[in-house]
Amino acid sequence: MREPMFLLLVACGVIYLVLGDREEALMLLGFVCVIIGITTYQERKTERALDALRDLSSPRALVIRGGQQRRIAGRDVARGDILVVSEGDRVPADAVLISSMSISVDESFLTGESVPVRKAAMEHTPEEIAMARPGGEDTPFLYSGTLLVQGQGFARVLATAANTELGKIGKALESVKPEPTALQKETGRLVRNVAIIGLILCVVVVLVFRWTGGTWLNGLLVGITLAMATLPEEFPVVLTIFLALGRGASRKSTC
């Protein structure tokens, strides 16, 4: 709704409606409805694709509930659940080992250490226990997102979602605002400069049209038409396409 081309279409449709030219007004407003429909459809399609990717990337967890083993989505794991972990599993939550057999875990994305660390079960696990910081050998704690590279065992969930070590990192990253790239800044500057030139030409055309004997409304329509033809809304799209094509060509050449 904030795109300049979209606003210009709406403005033209309203002006034609004021002038009594219903056919032109309905045609322009019809284009507006088509644009809204296409945009909404594409955004929903993209959201569904992202949801499907999240489901695929979400780790599955094997838990013991009601005395039975159940395979559930990692996001459905709750505090107090008993996890059944084995080699190749991605840990879905922060937990403490209550039984283990030769478990080694890759915690590199939390500690920076590429070598897997050994884990040992806690013999007597109290009801209230706090998670320790990642790192170190023979500790009983498993952390969300880490990978079991060896062994198997059982663990009791202590923290999930934003309360895990991984969730704390996510909270910290939320406060980091990404800055636009140099290409985005240059493209935005180019679009802004050409848009200013187009608006200036629009005003000049309106004044000249009125000075030569035309009406203000007709002059405004002509000026808006010129602005629509001048505003470079396609620049970002064209740049994106060329960058995508260039990246695809570089991959092929690398292969």
Side-chain angles (χ1 to χ4, degrees):
M1 298 293 290
R2 295 191 299 267
E3 291 293 332
M5 294 295 290
F6 182 85
L7 296 176
L8 286 173
L9 283 174
V10 174
C12 285
V14 172
I15 292 174
Y16 275 118
L17 208 58
V18 171
L19 292 175
D21 194 342
R22 294 184 178 180
E23 292 182 359
E24 293 289 343
L26 290 176
M27 182 181 68
L28 288 174
L29 295 178
F31 283 135
V32 169
C33 293
V34 170
I35 292 172
I36 292 176
I38 292 175
T39 304
T40 304
Y41 171 76
Q42 291 293 341
E43 287 184 354
R44 288 184 178 178
K45 186 177 179 180
T46 303
E47 288 174 359
R48 287 196 297 269
L50 290 175
D51 289 339
L53 287 174
R54 291 190 190 100
D55 290 337
L56 288 174
S57 61
S58 177
R60 307 292 292 179
L62 185 61
V63 300
I64 299 177
R65 288 181 178 176
Q68 295 181 347
Q69 293 188 6
R70 299 181 181 180
R71 181 74 65 176
I72 62 174
R75 60 177 176 272
D76 295 332
V77 173
R79 180 182 171 88
D81 279 341
I82 302 299
L83 297 175
V84 182
V85 293
S86 58
E87 182 177 339
D89 287 348
R90 185 75 63 176
V91 181
D94 286 5
V96 57
L97 279 170
I98 57 178
S99 175
S100 66
M101 183 181 295
S102 304
I103 288 183
S104 294
V105 182
D106 180 4
E107 298 180 348
S108 56
F109 79 95
L110 289 176
T111 63
E113 295 291 337
S114 59
V115 179
V117 294
R118 294 190 310 272
K119 295 292 178 178
M122 183 175 286
E123 295 182 359
H124 302 287
T125 308
E127 289 297 326
E128 294 296 330
I129 182 173
M131 292 289 297
R133 301 292 296 175
E137 295 279 351
D138 297 323
T139 62
F141 300 106
L142 300 178
Y143 301 94
S144 176
T146 57
L147 180 66
L148 266 78
V149 297
Q150 180 183 329
Q152 56 185 354
F154 299 89
R156 179 160 59 86
V157 176
L158 299 180
T160 61
N163 297 320
T164 63
E165 290 295 323
L166 183 61
K168 294 174 183 177
I169 295 175
K171 283 183 179 179
L173 292 177
E174 286 180 356
S175 60
V176 179
K177 296 182 178 179
E179 295 184 358
T181 63
L183 179 61
Q184 289 174 327
K185 293 179 180 178
E186 194 66 28
T187 304
R189 190 179 300 111
L190 178 62
V191 171
R192 183 175 61 252
N193 292 339
V194 178
I196 292 173
I197 295 173
L199 292 175
I200 293 174
L201 290 176
C202 173
V203 174
V204 171
V205 168
V206 172
L207 295 176
V208 171
F209 198 90
R210 177 56 181 163
W211 181 63
T212 56
T215 62
W216 284 109
L217 283 176
N218 288 333
L220 185 59
L221 286 174
V222 174
I224 291 177
T225 303
L226 176 63
M228 290 174 65
T230 306
L231 285 176
E233 288 298 317
E234 293 80 7
F235 281 4
V237 178
V238 172
L239 283 173
T240 301
I241 293 173
F242 275 107
L243 286 173
L245 291 175
R247 183 170 60 180
S250 65
R251 287 180 178 176
K252 289 182 180 179
S253 62
T254 302
C255 293

